[in-house]
Amino acid sequence: MRRSTGAAATLALSSSLALVAAGAGLGLGLGLGLAGPAAAVTPPVAFTADPLPTWQPNGVVWALAEAGGTVFAGGTFSAVRPPEGSGGTERTAVNFAALDAATGAPTSCTLSFTVGSGTATVRALAVSPDKKTLYAGGYFGAVNGTPVSSLAAVDVATCTVKPSFRPAFAATVRALAVTGDTVYAGGDFLTVDGQPRRRFAAVAASDGALKPFRADADESGRAVELTPDGAHLALGGDFFTVNGTDTHALAMVDAATGAIAKAYPGFIQTNSVVKDLAADANGIYTANEGTGGGVFDGRIALHPTDFTQRWRDTCLGATQAVLPYRDVLYSASHAHDCSSVGEFPDGQRHHLLAQPTSGTGKLGWAPDTDDGIGEGIGPRVMTVGSGSGVPYLWVGGEFTTVNGAAQQSLTRFASTGDTGAPTAPLASAASFRPGEVQVRWRTGLDLDDSTLTYRVYRGGAAAPVATVTADSLFFRRPQASWTDTAVTAGQTYTYRVTATDAAGNTSAPSAPVSVTVPSSPEAYAGQVRADGAQLYWRYDDTVLPYAADSSAGGNQNGVHLNAPALRQTPAAVTGASTAIGFNGTDTQVYGDRRQTVGSSYSLETWFRTDTTRGGKLFGFGSNQSRGSNQYDKHLYMTNDGRLVFGVYTGATRTVTTAAGYNDNRWHHAVATQGPGGMALYVDGVRKGSLDVTTHENYSGYWHAGGDSLGGWPDRPTSEYWAGRLDETAVYPTVLSAAQVQNHYVLATAPADSVVRVTAAEDTYANAGAPDGNFGASGSLAVRGTPLYTSYLRFDLPAAPAGTVLKSAALSVKTSTMSGAGTADTVSVVPVTGAWTEGAVTYNNRPALAPSAIGSYPGVPDGSGVHTTALSTPAVAAALGTGYGLALTGSGTDALWLWSSEAQANEGTPQLTLTFGPP
């Protein structure tokens, strides 16, 4: 169902994911031996997103220009001050400042733009092709005391006003474009030198003499831009006619005469204006701002020859400036809704963006500002200035922060020296069958690199076991993954992931994630995957805000909103670990991937609640973090607990259960739609059907726990779900009744269970201190000669009724001391003699069994958890008793481990026992 009439485009941008290498790489932490900061950002982006220290005005910057390594800033301000946190003293700067492009500091050039009455302002700056003259337009009557009339020429070399250049503009000049002999101006004026010139005019570049050029507009001119060949001039503004011809906001005119070359009636919405124009060899670009419904706020690219449209970017958010540079179009706006071009939905404002000059797709460059002072627009103008051979992108406007740090109205970004590291990935790990672990993570974010390199580390190893590249943008952080097949059933493995950008900046490692490999396939999860789920949220996540996708495709991860309750127990499915809890007010999980839904699909989830306020369990909607304007293909609950499956076909069409299910018990729901119509199943049984085969077609996102429900039958009190969900899946096909029933049966089938037992006692014997007891030392040691032997005691449980021990594994953790690992084999041997932690010494150490039941073939340096499989029959024979194990060495290289007495029990030795049906 929709709340608005605008149809969403279906363009979806894909992200690439490629496995690059495995088993070779570098270590974790700040010491990672990668290349230092370099010019590398993800091509074709040319600038980093790291703002550089720059002097800042105390008002609004409206105009920028550059010549000879100096950047000129014009606006409405009275002073400039040093960058935040640096030394220096504020300097007077009356509506104008000249700054060194490379350092961001003021030069010796000072000009004051003033007016006798009203508020003086500089609104436009342009430099002559030979870079010798700076032209300034705005509203002012003098420059450094020299009389002028809203347009002045300044000698760049001497920083002095040219008194011979004296055109008289009767109102504000807002835009300038300059050739070798002509200055074109746009603004609010109606006369120049007393002669009629309505909003656009041309004067001689040498002395300001009025030229015969006529392009009279009925409303303000805001932008002028020459075509690359100089034959035509693009005009932008608020106007509806130029020279009497209908052409709103945009026109192409002859550069010599002003005669209309191409008009654009009906081309731009009447409530939109053109704020800026730019051109390169590929064409002309507009920056549009609008007000009200049906507005056009984005960017248009015109062909350079016939001036017809090449593409149109319909993002909403008042574009103020466009700047093409090396085949990338940089833009300043407060873009908040790019759903119409298949990108982010209405929500947070983004003030600086980049896209190829060939199309609308956003690139991986997204530094940000706030809206700032004045009109609350943010950035308004951009230019490129070079210093010491390095190009810098300068941005001016009315913002007061850049990337969250204080900085007013002026900032700059270099084309080299990328120093910003990606955010740390959010990792997860799952194992659905023996011999396989799926390590997956929500990709990191880097504001100037869309392609990042991820390294996966296992245990405490310094070298990665895999290297993966994946793409991400600020509005699309897809799941990336790698499958570890070098794993053993019954063992527990721990993983961490880092992200590195093109310049070698590396994130902090993800929080460690652990998983125990099952000794037999997990029946329910395996069937969901085998039946083709393309989204599978199991809700076993340990970190916010990442909901991992366990489907075989693994690219439909979710994002937690407002911190739903993780790790809720009991889970819905036997053997599954946890569920997720929603508060019924504002928590949900939304999909990270924008998509459309085909004509056939199935929705599946488990739910548990006692709510009397209803709410949406799961469904499809046009927005992510805000309530959707279009929403259907959803499951929701009425206040009395009945379950509803609904689609929108121009009217709401629903299937509703007769009974309520808000009894605080787990229930299984499946909703399907396809050529056979709609069907709703609860607990494996079909509860209703409807001969409806269509639904609303739009681009959107999957939601669990809440989204819009306005206009739907039996609308509940709450649109948000108060209760628990588990095992949510989406399929691109219709599940059959037999498949639905099979899923329900498998959910209650016996499954493996895992029991972890920590050491009740542990100590070691030292041949070098034959009478010493080390039971309280916090450390364990193992060596063949001179001998160290460690002893561990575990109180083993009996096997749960109806199960047998299927696997056993021992985990220990190396200490943080240098060289804690060993190159020698360490054996795990049963203890046969009596001992206690507080009494054992080298001289009275207990006897050991003749054979080992497990071993570590060497342990790498670096603090980390290490696991080895133990003989299942040997451990099974000791179930229900106290069981002693010794760690013995084979050589002279000592192994140092944490004991149960270590601080916070971080290294307590642990047995992992897996039980299951015989």
Side-chain angles (χ1 to χ4, degrees), residues 603 616 618-619 631-636 644-646 709 712:
L603 315 179
K616 183 178 288 192
F618 188 74
Y631 40 93
D632 74 335
K633 297 175 281 294
H634 53 205
L635 284 165
Y636 64 92
V644 182
F645 168 39
L709 278 171
W712 283 84

Side-chain angles (χ1 to χ4, degrees), residues 572-766:
V573 176
T574 302
S577 55
T578 62
I580 191 169
F582 299 98
N583 63 12
T585 302
D586 61 0
T587 57
Q588 63 162 290
V589 178
Y590 61 80
D592 187 72
R593 178 182 173 189
R594 184 178 179 86
Q595 59 192 281
T596 56
V597 180
S599 58
S600 295
Y601 63 92
S602 298
L603 315 179
E604 180 176 31
T605 194
W606 288 79
F607 66 94
R608 178 176 180 170
T609 187
D610 59 1
T611 184
T612 58
R613 301 178 70 248
K616 183 178 288 192
L617 285 72
F618 188 74
F620 197 68
S622 59
N623 211 315
Q624 287 180 305
S625 59
R626 297 186 177 186
S628 295
N629 291 324
Q630 296 169 267
Y631 40 93
D632 74 335
K633 297 175 281 294
H634 53 205
L635 284 165
Y636 64 92
M637 181 173 280
T638 64
N639 287 347
D640 58 6
R642 290 173 296 136
L643 202 62
V644 182
F645 168 39
V647 300
Y648 187 69
T649 63
T652 59
R653 308 301 301 273
T654 60
V655 180
T656 306
T657 65
Y661 294 95
N662 54 345
D663 55 5
N664 206 29
R665 301 172 63 182
W666 281 112
H667 295 283
H668 178 234
V670 176
T672 68
Q673 187 181 28
M678 299 167 62
L680 174 60
Y681 301 81
V682 180
D683 295 338
V685 178
R686 182 181 292 195
K687 297 297 182 180
S689 61
L690 194 64
D691 186 19
V692 174
T693 60
T694 61
H695 55 79
E696 190 171 12
N697 184 28
Y698 57 94
S699 295
Y701 308 85
W702 291 109
H703 294 257
D707 194 14
S708 303
L709 278 171
W712 283 84
D714 295 319
R715 181 184 180 184
T717 301
S718 175
E719 295 183 336
Y720 286 85
W721 168 252
R724 295 179 181 180
L725 294 180
D726 203 1
E727 306 291 325
T728 299
V730 177
Y731 305 80
T733 58
V734 173
L735 292 179
S736 68
Q739 287 175 305
V740 173
Q741 176 66 18
N742 186 38
H743 287 198
Y744 180 65
V745 171
L746 287 174
T748 56
D752 290 353
S753 60
V754 175
V755 177
R756 293 178 175 85
V757 184
T758 57
E761 293 187 285
D762 51 13
T763 187
Y764 73 96
N766 179 0

Side-chain angles (χ1 to χ4, degrees), residues 29 50 87 202 229 250 396 460 514 520-521 583 596 629 680 796 843 859 900:
D50 306 318
D229 61 6
L250 178 68
S514 297
S520 59
N583 63 12
T596 56
N629 291 324
L680 174 60
L796 301 183
N843 285 335
V859 176
S900 58

